[in-house]
Amino acid sequence: MRRAVCPGSFDPVTYGHIDIVGRAAKQYDEVVVAVLNNINKRGLFSVDEKLDMLSEGTAELGNVTVAEFDGLLVDFCRANGIDTIVRSLRSVSDFDYELQIAQMNYRLSGVETVFMTANPQYSFLSSSLVREIAQHNGDVSSLVTPYVQKRLREKYEERATEQ
């Protein structure tokens, strides 16, 4: 069985992420979308919230599961019998950064990294841009699922009442 992992912080998951996961799901028997639980970085959403939004966004993909990990991605891969990491490239600068990580992951564990180029309609898209637009009540409906859009609105309304 060919298994791959699509790792990330997904804060929040965007249509760009879902596109890559969907394309990977056509190439592999099973795809695990792995959310990094980075204790050094506080995101907008908790890991559980991210897992929930990813589950909703990938529900139609029968061979996709979601999970969380902390520590090294290659350790997660070893523990779960995964030998391929799928990463998205939006630009040349992404490649420079991702190549170094891919080479280190291979050196540490022999896990291969496969790069998929971003769909041109999503090549500009990032979670940080989505957060910024949503924070200022901008329209993110073409960038995230309706469920994620609702969660963003709730999160920023919640933060506004706390201040």
Side-chain angles (χ1 to χ4, degrees):
M1 173 150 44
R2 293 171 18 121
R3 301 182 78 216
V5 63
C6 291
S9 58
F10 306 104
D11 193 34
V13 61
T14 69
Y15 281 136
H17 295 127
I18 293 170
D19 179 66
I20 292 293
V21 171
R23 289 165 54 201
K26 292 177 183 175
Q27 303 296 319
Y28 295 91
D29 299 314
E30 183 182 353
V31 175
V32 178
V33 183
V35 178
L36 174 62
N37 182 7
N38 186 344
I39 58 172
N40 297 320
K41 188 175 177 184
R42 178 156 158 73
L44 179 62
F45 293 100
S46 71
V47 171
D48 287 339
E49 289 171 319
K50 294 174 191 179
L51 292 170
D52 177 53
M53 289 184 285
L54 279 162
S55 294
E56 183 274 336
T58 60
E60 294 181 9
L61 302 171
N63 62 335
V64 172
T65 58
V66 299
E68 74 175 279
F69 77 99
D70 54 18
L72 297 176
L73 177 60
V74 293
D75 291 339
F76 176 84
C77 289
R78 273 193 216 118
N80 290 279
I82 297 170
D83 60 7
T84 305
I85 299 166
V86 175
R87 298 292 295 172
S88 174
L89 298 175
R90 295 174 296 187
S91 65
V92 173
S93 60
D94 281 356
F95 179 76
D96 288 340
Y97 174 74
E98 294 290 344
L99 179 62
Q100 189 175 21
I101 294 170
Q103 291 172 332
M104 182 58 75
N105 285 338
Y106 185 79
R107 178 164 182 129
L108 289 173
S109 66
V111 172
E112 294 284 358
T113 299
V114 172
F115 297 117
M116 286 190 174
T117 57
N119 181 325
Q121 79 183 81
Y122 303 122
S123 62
F124 66 91
L125 185 53
S126 70
S127 294
S128 58
L129 284 175
V130 168
R131 288 192 310 269
E132 186 170 346
I133 294 165
Q135 182 178 10
H136 298 287
N137 297 315
D139 181 10
V140 295
S141 61
S142 65
L143 309 175
V144 297
T145 67
Y147 183 62
V148 172
Q149 186 177 1
K150 174 181 175 277
R151 298 297 302 269
L152 281 162
R153 188 172 46 252
E154 291 169 352
K155 187 64 77 170
Y156 285 117
E157 287 172 0
E158 177 184 304
R159 284 191 167 192
T161 60
E162 290 174 357
Q163 293 178 356

